[in-house]
Coordinates of all heavy atoms in Angstrom, one line a residue:
E25 N -59.4 10.2 -35.9 CA -59.6 10.4 -37.4 C -61.0 11.0 -37.7 O -62.0 10.7 -37.0 CB -59.6 9.0 -38.0 CG -58.2 8.4 -38.1 CD -58.2 7.0 -38.6 OE1 -59.1 6.2 -38.1 OE2 -57.4 6.6 -39.4
N26 N -61.0 11.9 -38.6 CA -62.2 12.4 -39.2 C -62.3 11.9 -40.6 O -61.4 12.1 -41.4 CB -62.2 13.9 -39.1 CG -62.2 14.5 -37.7 OD1 -63.0 14.0 -36.9 ND2 -61.3 15.4 -37.5
I27 N -63.4 11.2 -40.9 CA -63.6 10.6 -42.2 C -64.9 11.1 -42.8 O -65.9 11.0 -42.2 CB -63.6 9.1 -42.1 CG1 -62.3 8.6 -41.5 CG2 -63.8 8.4 -43.5 CD1 -62.2 7.1 -41.2
L28 N -64.8 11.7 -44.0 CA -65.9 12.1 -44.8 C -66.0 11.3 -46.1 O -65.0 11.4 -46.9 CB -65.9 13.6 -45.0 CG -67.0 14.2 -45.9 CD1 -68.4 14.0 -45.3 CD2 -66.7 15.6 -46.2
Q29 N -67.0 10.5 -46.3 CA -67.1 9.7 -47.5 C -68.4 10.2 -48.3 O -69.5 10.1 -47.8 CB -67.2 8.3 -47.2 CG -66.0 7.7 -46.5 CD -66.1 6.3 -46.1 OE1 -67.1 5.9 -45.5 NE2 -65.0 5.5 -46.3
L30 N -68.2 10.7 -49.5 CA -69.3 11.1 -50.4 C -69.2 10.2 -51.6 O -68.3 10.3 -52.4 CB -69.1 12.6 -50.8 CG -69.0 13.6 -49.6 CD1 -68.6 14.9 -50.1 CD2 -70.3 13.6 -48.9
G31 N -70.2 9.4 -51.8 CA -70.2 8.4 -52.9 C -70.5 7.0 -52.4 O -71.1 6.8 -51.3
Y32 N -70.1 6.1 -53.2 CA -70.5 4.7 -53.0 C -69.3 3.8 -52.9 O -68.3 4.0 -53.6 CB -71.4 4.1 -54.1 CG -72.7 4.9 -54.2 CD1 -72.8 5.9 -55.1 CD2 -73.8 4.7 -53.3 CE1 -74.0 6.7 -55.2 CE2 -74.9 5.4 -53.4 CZ -75.0 6.4 -54.3 OH -76.2 7.2 -54.4
N33 N -69.3 2.8 -52.1 CA -68.3 1.7 -52.0 C -66.9 2.3 -51.6 O -65.9 1.8 -52.2 CB -68.3 0.9 -53.3 CG -67.7 -0.5 -53.0 OD1 -67.8 -1.0 -52.0 ND2 -67.0 -1.0 -54.0
N34 N -66.9 3.2 -50.7 CA -65.6 3.8 -50.2 C -65.2 3.1 -49.0 O -66.0 2.7 -48.2 CB -65.7 5.3 -50.0 CG -66.0 6.0 -51.3 OD1 -65.5 5.6 -52.4 ND2 -66.8 7.1 -51.2
S35 N -63.9 2.9 -48.7 CA -63.4 2.2 -47.5 C -62.1 2.9 -47.0 O -61.3 3.4 -47.7 CB -63.2 0.7 -47.7 OG -62.1 0.5 -48.6
V36 N -62.0 2.8 -45.7 CA -60.7 3.2 -45.0 C -60.4 2.0 -44.1 O -61.2 1.6 -43.2 CB -60.9 4.5 -44.2 CG1 -59.7 4.8 -43.4 CG2 -61.3 5.6 -45.1
I37 N -59.2 1.5 -44.3 CA -58.7 0.4 -43.4 C -57.4 0.9 -42.7 O -56.5 1.3 -43.3 CB -58.3 -0.9 -44.2 CG1 -59.6 -1.4 -45.0 CG2 -57.7 -1.9 -43.3 CD1 -59.3 -2.4 -46.0
D38 N -57.5 0.9 -41.4 CA -56.4 1.5 -40.5 C -55.8 0.3 -39.7 O -56.5 -0.3 -38.8 CB -57.0 2.5 -39.6 CG -56.0 3.2 -38.8 OD1 -54.8 2.8 -38.8 OD2 -56.3 4.2 -38.1
I39 N -54.6 0.0 -40.0 CA -53.9 -1.1 -39.3 C -52.7 -0.5 -38.5 O -51.8 0.0 -39.2 CB -53.4 -2.2 -40.3 CG1 -54.6 -2.8 -41.0 CG2 -52.6 -3.3 -39.5 CD1 -54.2 -3.7 -42.1
N40 N -52.8 -0.5 -37.2 CA -51.8 0.1 -36.4 C -51.3 -0.9 -35.4 O -52.0 -1.2 -34.4 CB -52.3 1.4 -35.7 CG -51.2 2.1 -35.0 OD1 -50.1 1.7 -35.0 ND2 -51.6 3.3 -34.5
A41 N -50.1 -1.5 -35.6 CA -49.6 -2.5 -34.7 C -49.2 -2.0 -33.3 O -49.1 -2.7 -32.4 CB -48.4 -3.2 -35.3
G42 N -49.1 -0.7 -33.2 CA -48.6 -0.1 -32.0 C -49.7 0.1 -31.0 O -49.5 0.6 -29.9
G43 N -50.9 -0.2 -31.3 CA -52.0 -0.1 -30.4 C -53.3 0.3 -31.1 O -53.3 0.4 -32.3
S44 N -54.3 0.7 -30.4 CA -55.6 1.0 -31.0 C -55.8 2.5 -31.0 O -57.0 2.9 -31.2 CB -56.7 0.3 -30.2 OG -56.7 0.8 -28.9
R45 N -54.8 3.3 -30.9 CA -54.9 4.7 -31.0 C -55.4 5.2 -32.4 O -54.8 4.7 -33.4 CB -53.6 5.4 -30.6 CG -53.2 5.2 -29.2 CD -51.9 6.0 -29.0 NE -51.1 6.1 -30.2 CZ -49.8 6.5 -30.1 NH1 -49.3 6.8 -29.0 NH2 -49.1 6.6 -31.3
A46 N -56.3 6.1 -32.4 CA -56.7 6.6 -33.7 C -55.8 7.7 -34.2 O -55.2 8.4 -33.3 CB -58.2 7.1 -33.6
H47 N -55.6 7.8 -35.5 CA -54.8 8.9 -36.0 C -55.5 10.2 -35.8 O -56.7 10.3 -35.6 CB -54.6 8.7 -37.5 CG -53.7 7.5 -37.8 ND1 -54.3 6.3 -38.3 CD2 -52.4 7.2 -37.6 CE1 -53.3 5.4 -38.4 NE2 -52.2 6.0 -38.0
T48 N -54.8 11.3 -35.9 CA -55.4 12.6 -35.9 C -55.6 13.2 -37.3 O -55.6 14.4 -37.5 CB -54.6 13.6 -35.0 OG1 -53.2 13.6 -35.5 CG2 -54.6 13.2 -33.6
A49 N -55.6 12.3 -38.3 CA -55.7 12.7 -39.7 C -57.1 12.9 -40.1 O -58.1 12.6 -39.4 CB -55.1 11.5 -40.5
N50 N -57.2 13.6 -41.2 CA -58.5 13.9 -41.9 C -58.5 13.2 -43.2 O -57.6 13.3 -44.0 CB -58.7 15.4 -42.1 CG -58.9 16.1 -40.8 OD1 -59.8 15.8 -40.0 ND2 -58.0 17.0 -40.5
V51 N -59.6 12.4 -43.5 CA -59.7 11.7 -44.8 C -61.0 12.2 -45.5 O -62.1 12.2 -44.9 CB -59.8 10.2 -44.5 CG1 -60.0 9.4 -45.9 CG2 -58.5 9.7 -43.8
I52 N -60.9 12.5 -46.7 CA -62.1 12.9 -47.5 C -62.0 12.1 -48.8 O -61.1 12.1 -49.6 CB -62.0 14.4 -47.9 CG1 -61.9 15.3 -46.6 CG2 -63.2 14.8 -48.8 CD1 -61.6 16.7 -46.9
Q53 N -63.1 11.3 -49.0 CA -63.2 10.5 -50.2 C -64.5 10.9 -50.9 O -65.6 10.9 -50.4 CB -63.4 9.0 -49.8 CG -62.1 8.4 -49.2 CD -62.3 7.0 -48.7 OE1 -63.3 6.7 -48.2 NE2 -61.3 6.2 -49.0
Q54 N -64.3 11.3 -52.2 CA -65.4 11.7 -53.1 C -65.4 10.8 -54.3 O -64.4 10.8 -55.0 CB -65.3 13.2 -53.5 CG -65.4 14.2 -52.4 CD -65.1 15.6 -52.8 OE1 -64.0 15.9 -53.2 NE2 -66.2 16.4 -52.9
G55 N -66.5 10.1 -54.6 CA -66.5 9.3 -55.8 C -66.9 7.9 -55.4 O -67.5 7.6 -54.4
T56 N -66.5 7.0 -56.3 CA -66.9 5.5 -56.1 C -65.6 4.7 -56.0 O -64.6 5.0 -56.7 CB -67.8 5.0 -57.2 OG1 -67.2 5.2 -58.4 CG2 -69.1 5.8 -57.2
N57 N -65.7 3.6 -55.2 CA -64.6 2.6 -55.1 C -63.3 3.3 -54.7 O -62.2 3.0 -55.3 CB -64.5 1.9 -56.4 CG -65.7 1.1 -56.8 OD1 -66.2 0.3 -55.9 ND2 -66.2 1.2 -58.0
Q58 N -63.3 4.1 -53.7 CA -62.1 4.8 -53.2 C -61.7 3.9 -52.0 O -62.5 3.6 -51.1 CB -62.4 6.2 -52.7 CG -63.0 7.1 -53.7 CD -61.9 7.6 -54.6 OE1 -60.7 7.5 -54.4 NE2 -62.3 8.3 -55.7
N59 N -60.4 3.5 -51.9 CA -59.9 2.7 -50.9 C -58.6 3.4 -50.3 O -57.7 3.7 -51.0 CB -59.5 1.3 -51.4 CG -60.7 0.6 -52.0 OD1 -61.7 0.4 -51.3 ND2 -60.6 0.3 -53.3
L60 N -58.6 3.5 -49.0 CA -57.4 4.0 -48.3 C -56.9 2.9 -47.3 O -57.7 2.5 -46.5 CB -57.7 5.3 -47.5 CG -56.6 5.8 -46.6 CD1 -55.4 6.2 -47.5 CD2 -57.1 7.0 -45.9
L61 N -55.7 2.5 -47.4 CA -55.1 1.5 -46.5 C -54.0 2.3 -45.8 O -53.0 2.7 -46.4 CB -54.5 0.4 -47.3 CG -53.8 -0.7 -46.5 CD1 -54.7 -1.3 -45.5 CD2 -53.2 -1.8 -47.5
W62 N -54.2 2.4 -44.5 CA -53.3 3.2 -43.6 C -52.5 2.2 -42.7 O -53.2 1.5 -41.9 CB -54.1 4.2 -42.8 CG -53.3 5.2 -42.2 CD1 -52.3 5.1 -41.2 CD2 -53.4 6.6 -42.4 NE1 -51.8 6.3 -40.9 CE2 -52.5 7.3 -41.6 CE3 -54.3 7.4 -43.2 CZ2 -52.4 8.7 -41.6 CZ3 -54.1 8.7 -43.2 CH2 -53.2 9.4 -42.4
L63 N -51.2 2.1 -42.8 CA -50.4 1.1 -42.1 C -49.5 1.9 -41.1 O -48.6 2.6 -41.6 CB -49.6 0.2 -43.0 CG -50.4 -0.5 -44.1 CD1 -49.5 -1.1 -45.1 CD2 -51.3 -1.5 -43.4
G64 N -49.6 1.7 -39.8 CA -48.7 2.3 -38.9 C -49.0 3.8 -38.6 O -49.9 4.4 -39.1
E65 N -48.1 4.4 -37.8 CA -48.1 5.8 -37.5 C -46.8 6.3 -37.2 O -45.9 5.6 -36.6 CB -49.0 5.9 -36.3 CG -49.2 7.3 -35.8 CD -50.0 7.4 -34.5 OE1 -50.2 6.4 -33.8 OE2 -50.5 8.5 -34.3
N66 N -46.5 7.5 -37.6 CA -45.3 8.2 -37.2 C -45.6 9.7 -37.1 O -46.7 10.2 -37.4 CB -44.1 7.9 -38.1 CG -44.3 8.3 -39.5 OD1 -45.2 9.1 -39.8 ND2 -43.6 7.7 -40.4
S67 N -44.5 10.5 -36.8 CA -44.8 12.0 -36.6 C -45.1 12.6 -38.0 O -45.8 13.7 -38.0 CB -43.5 12.6 -36.1 OG -42.4 12.4 -36.9
I68 N -44.7 12.1 -39.1 CA -45.0 12.7 -40.4 C -46.5 12.6 -40.7 O -47.1 13.4 -41.3 CB -44.2 12.1 -41.5 CG1 -42.7 12.5 -41.3 CG2 -44.6 12.6 -42.9 CD1 -41.7 11.7 -42.2
S69 N -47.1 11.4 -40.3 CA -48.5 11.1 -40.7 C -49.5 11.8 -39.7 O -50.7 11.8 -40.0 CB -48.7 9.6 -40.7 OG -48.6 9.1 -39.4
K70 N -49.0 12.3 -38.6 CA -49.9 13.0 -37.6 C -50.4 14.2 -38.3 O -49.7 15.0 -38.9 CB -49.2 13.3 -36.3 CG -48.9 12.1 -35.5 CD -48.3 12.5 -34.2 CE -47.9 11.2 -33.4 NZ -47.3 11.6 -32.2
N71 N -51.7 14.4 -38.1 CA -52.4 15.6 -38.7 C -52.4 15.6 -40.2 O -52.6 16.7 -40.8 CB -51.9 16.9 -38.1 CG -52.1 17.0 -36.6 OD1 -53.1 16.6 -36.1 ND2 -51.1 17.4 -35.9
M72 N -52.2 14.5 -40.9 CA -52.2 14.4 -42.3 C -53.6 14.5 -42.9 O -54.5 14.1 -42.2 CB -51.6 13.1 -42.8 CG -51.4 12.9 -44.3 SD -50.7 11.3 -44.7 CE -49.0 11.6 -44.4
I73 N -53.7 15.1 -44.0 CA -55.0 15.2 -44.7 C -54.9 14.4 -46.0 O -54.0 14.6 -46.8 CB -55.3 16.7 -45.1 CG1 -55.5 17.5 -43.8 CG2 -56.6 16.7 -45.9 CD1 -55.6 19.0 -44.0
V74 N -55.8 13.5 -46.2 CA -55.8 12.6 -47.4 C -57.1 13.0 -48.1 O -58.2 12.8 -47.6 CB -55.7 11.1 -47.1 CG1 -55.9 10.3 -48.4 CG2 -54.5 10.8 -46.4
R75 N -57.0 13.5 -49.4 CA -58.2 13.8 -50.2 C -58.2 12.9 -51.4 O -57.2 12.9 -52.2 CB -58.2 15.2 -50.6 CG -58.4 16.2 -49.5 CD -58.5 17.6 -50.0 NE -58.8 18.5 -48.8 CZ -58.1 19.6 -48.6 NH1 -57.2 20.0 -49.5 NH2 -58.3 20.3 -47.6
M76 N -59.2 12.2 -51.6 CA -59.3 11.3 -52.8 C -60.6 11.7 -53.6 O -61.7 11.9 -53.0 CB -59.4 9.8 -52.4 CG -58.3 9.4 -51.5 SD -58.5 7.7 -50.9 CE -58.4 6.7 -52.4
K77 N -60.4 11.9 -54.9 CA -61.6 12.3 -55.7 C -61.5 11.5 -57.0 O -60.4 11.4 -57.7 CB -61.5 13.8 -56.0 CG -62.7 14.3 -56.7 CD -62.6 15.8 -56.8 CE -63.9 16.4 -57.5 NZ -63.8 17.8 -57.6
G78 N -62.6 10.9 -57.4 CA -62.6 10.1 -58.7 C -63.2 8.8 -58.5 O -64.1 8.5 -57.7
R79 N -62.7 7.8 -59.3 CA -63.2 6.4 -59.3 C -62.1 5.4 -59.3 O -61.0 5.7 -59.8 CB -64.1 6.2 -60.5 CG -65.3 7.0 -60.7 CD -66.1 6.7 -61.9 NE -65.2 6.5 -63.1 CZ -65.6 6.2 -64.3 NH1 -66.9 6.0 -64.5 NH2 -64.8 6.1 -65.3
K80 N -62.3 4.3 -58.6 CA -61.5 3.2 -58.6 C -60.0 3.5 -58.3 O -59.1 3.3 -59.1 CB -61.5 2.5 -60.0 CG -62.9 2.0 -60.3 CD -62.9 1.3 -61.6 CE -64.3 0.8 -62.0 NZ -64.4 0.2 -63.3
Q81 N -59.8 4.1 -57.1 CA -58.5 4.4 -56.6 C -58.1 3.7 -55.3 O -59.0 3.6 -54.5 CB -58.3 5.9 -56.5 CG -58.5 6.7 -57.7 CD -58.4 8.2 -57.4 OE1 -57.3 8.7 -57.5 NE2 -59.5 8.9 -57.1
T82 N -56.9 3.4 -55.1 CA -56.4 2.9 -53.9 C -55.2 3.7 -53.5 O -54.2 3.8 -54.3 CB -56.1 1.4 -53.9 OG1 -57.3 0.7 -54.3 CG2 -55.5 0.9 -52.6
V83 N -55.1 4.2 -52.2 CA -54.0 4.9 -51.7 C -53.5 4.1 -50.5 O -54.3 3.7 -49.6 CB -54.3 6.3 -51.3 CG1 -53.1 7.0 -50.6 CG2 -54.7 7.1 -52.5
V84 N -52.2 3.8 -50.5 CA -51.6 3.1 -49.4 C -50.6 4.0 -48.7 O -49.7 4.6 -49.3 CB -50.8 1.8 -49.8 CG1 -50.2 1.1 -48.7 CG2 -51.8 0.9 -50.6
V85 N -50.8 4.3 -47.4 CA -49.9 5.1 -46.6 C -49.2 4.2 -45.6 O -49.8 3.6 -44.7 CB -50.7 6.2 -45.8 CG1 -49.8 7.0 -45.0 CG2 -51.5 7.0 -46.8
R86 N -47.9 4.0 -45.8 CA -47.1 3.2 -45.0 C -46.2 4.0 -44.1 O -45.4 4.8 -44.6 CB -46.2 2.2 -45.8 CG -47.0 1.2 -46.6 CD -46.2 0.2 -47.2 NE -45.2 0.8 -48.1 CZ -44.3 0.1 -48.7 NH1 -44.2 -1.2 -48.6 NH2 -43.4 0.7 -49.6
N87 N -46.3 3.9 -42.8 CA -45.5 4.6 -41.8 C -44.7 3.7 -40.9 O -45.2 2.6 -40.6 CB -46.5 5.4 -40.9 CG -47.4 6.4 -41.7 OD1 -46.9 7.3 -42.3 ND2 -48.6 6.1 -41.7
S88 N -43.5 4.1 -40.6 CA -42.8 3.3 -39.6 C -41.9 4.3 -38.8 O -41.5 5.4 -39.2 CB -41.8 2.3 -40.3 OG -40.9 3.0 -41.1
K89 N -41.7 3.9 -37.6 CA -40.9 4.7 -36.7 C -39.5 4.2 -36.6 O -39.3 2.9 -36.6 CB -41.5 4.7 -35.3 CG -42.8 5.4 -35.1 CD -43.2 5.4 -33.7 CE -44.5 6.1 -33.6 NZ -45.0 6.1 -32.2
R90 N -38.5 5.0 -36.7 CA -37.1 4.6 -36.5 C -36.8 4.4 -35.1 O -37.2 5.2 -34.2 CB -36.2 5.6 -37.1 CG -36.3 5.6 -38.6 CD -35.2 6.4 -39.2 NE -35.3 6.4 -40.7 CZ -34.4 6.6 -41.5 NH1 -33.2 7.0 -41.0 NH2 -34.6 6.6 -42.8
Q91 N -36.1 3.4 -34.7 CA -35.9 3.1 -33.3 C -34.5 3.5 -33.0 O -33.6 3.5 -33.6 CB -36.0 1.6 -33.1 CG -37.3 1.1 -33.6 CD -38.3 0.7 -32.5 OE1 -37.9 0.5 -31.4 NE2 -39.5 0.8 -32.8

């Protein structure tokens, strides 16, 4: 993961039950109180770019693999 945070009180929480592998995603947060909650991993989320700009936002990315 590449994470760029510009501003104050920004957070990225990455919960991956499949192991401790980091995503190949890029996250850019500009502003204050930006929160990104990333749950799981699948082929769609690989190389994903998440850009957040503004104040007081939360983005939840939920990924699951079909078995």
Side-chain angles (χ1 to χ4, degrees):
E25 287 171 314
N26 295 313
I27 300 172
L28 175 62
Q29 295 176 318
L30 303 170
Y32 300 98
N33 202 31
N34 297 324
S35 68
V36 175
I37 299 171
D38 184 355
I39 300 172
N40 188 356
S44 61
R45 297 183 327 193
H47 295 104
T48 55
N50 293 302
V51 178
I52 302 168
Q53 293 176 316
Q54 295 175 290
T56 58
N57 298 311
Q58 303 281 351
N59 302 298
L60 174 61
L61 177 57
W62 197 297
L63 305 169
E65 180 182 20
N66 62 18
S67 62
I68 295 172
S69 66
K70 289 183 181 178
N71 300 316
M72 183 181 284
I73 299 172
V74 178
R75 291 185 180 133
M76 301 173 70
K77 187 174 182 179
R79 297 183 314 179
K80 299 180 183 178
Q81 299 180 88
T82 299
V83 173
V84 178
V85 179
R86 295 188 301 175
N87 302 295
S88 61
K89 291 183 180 180
R90 291 190 176 200
Q91 307 254 337

